[in-house]
Amino acid sequence: PTFSGSFTDTTFCTFDSCTTGLATLTVNLGDDCTPASELVWEYFIDLDRDGRFEYTARGIGGTIDASGRYKLGKHRVRYTVEDKCGNKIARERDFSIVNCKAPTPYCLVGVAVDLMPMDTNGDGTVDTAMICVWASDVDKGSYHPCGNPVVLSFSRDTTVKSICYGCANLGQQNVTLWVTDATTGLQASCNT
């Protein structure tokens, strides 16, 4: 027997649920000695790719459709088909279900900070003034709708967690707070 269809590792996005998502898992079957309508097939679903098959189904025909709603995570489907000549083959496909909702950013408005006097050379005299503002200082409760952990930053680059200001920066400063879903990497931002 032969399979035709996708066997590449595929990520399926869901926007309507924080627990499950729809995966399209269809393959067509063919054979030289048995009509497609008489091929015997099975599929097995391994949730979390832990080596245990939680779902299985059997049938007869030229198509295996293991499509359905599965929990968020990394999974595997194994297809098997047997013809009337006793030939049996199997193929596997990895798939993932992820929630693709972006996080919800909330910025504080009107944060005021004072520059702090600094003795940069250690001589006991104030040389300059500065202050570092952290992304968390302008956050007003940003979150992910599904409870995924979020990372706050002042750039798409999540390592930029603070901005330092000195005497040259007196007055209003505009900043963008980036909120990154630590699970999926999806981002959203707000300005303050």
Side-chain angles (χ1 to χ4, degrees):
T2 59
F3 291 103
S4 61
S6 176
F7 289 94
T8 58
D9 190 351
T10 305
T11 298
F12 298 97
C13 278
T14 181
F15 293 94
D16 64 348
S17 172
C18 292
T19 57
T20 65
L22 181 63
T24 304
L25 304 169
T26 305
V27 293
N28 294 313
L29 310 171
D31 191 67
D32 290 338
C33 75
T34 303
S37 62
E38 296 178 19
L39 293 172
V40 177
W41 56 259
E42 288 180 289
Y43 72 79
F44 307 87
I45 302 293
D46 174 4
L47 298 178
D48 303 317
R49 294 186 204 163
D50 59 6
R52 293 180 302 156
F53 294 108
E54 287 81 5
Y55 298 105
T56 185
R58 296 177 181 185
I60 297 173
T63 301
I64 302 175
D65 189 356
S67 303
R69 291 194 77 84
Y70 297 101
K71 71 178 190 168
L72 300 184
K74 295 181 177 186
H75 313 302
R76 177 172 290 132
V77 59
R78 177 184 293 164
Y79 304 102
T80 64
V81 60
E82 185 173 2
D83 63 19
K84 298 275 183 169
C85 302
N87 301 306
K88 187 173 185 177
I89 63 168
R91 289 284 308 266
E92 291 185 346
R93 176 184 183 185
D94 290 342
F95 67 100
S96 301
I97 309 288
V98 297
N99 181 285
C100 292
K101 292 179 185 177
T104 302
Y106 279 118
C107 283
L108 287 170
V109 177
V111 175
V113 294
D114 287 332
L115 297 178
M116 303 301 291
M118 304 288 293
D119 176 10
T120 58
N121 60 10
D123 67 359
T125 306
V126 172
D127 302 313
T128 188
M130 67 179 292
I131 191 76
C132 291
V133 178
W134 292 85
S136 58
D137 294 337
V138 298
D139 177 49
K140 190 179 180 177
S142 301
Y143 69 97
H144 188 274
C146 294
N148 295 354
V150 296
V151 176
L152 304 174
S153 61
F154 282 122
S155 167
R156 285 186 179 272
D157 176 352
T158 58
T159 63
V160 181
K161 300 204 181 290
S162 65
I163 300 174
C164 294
Y165 296 102
C167 295
N169 305 110
L170 294 177
Q172 182 172 318
Q173 303 297 315
N174 295 314
V175 295
T176 301
L177 174 68
W178 286 91
V179 182
T180 304
D181 179 342
T183 304
T184 64
L186 294 171
Q187 296 181 308
S189 65
C190 56
N191 297 311
T192 187

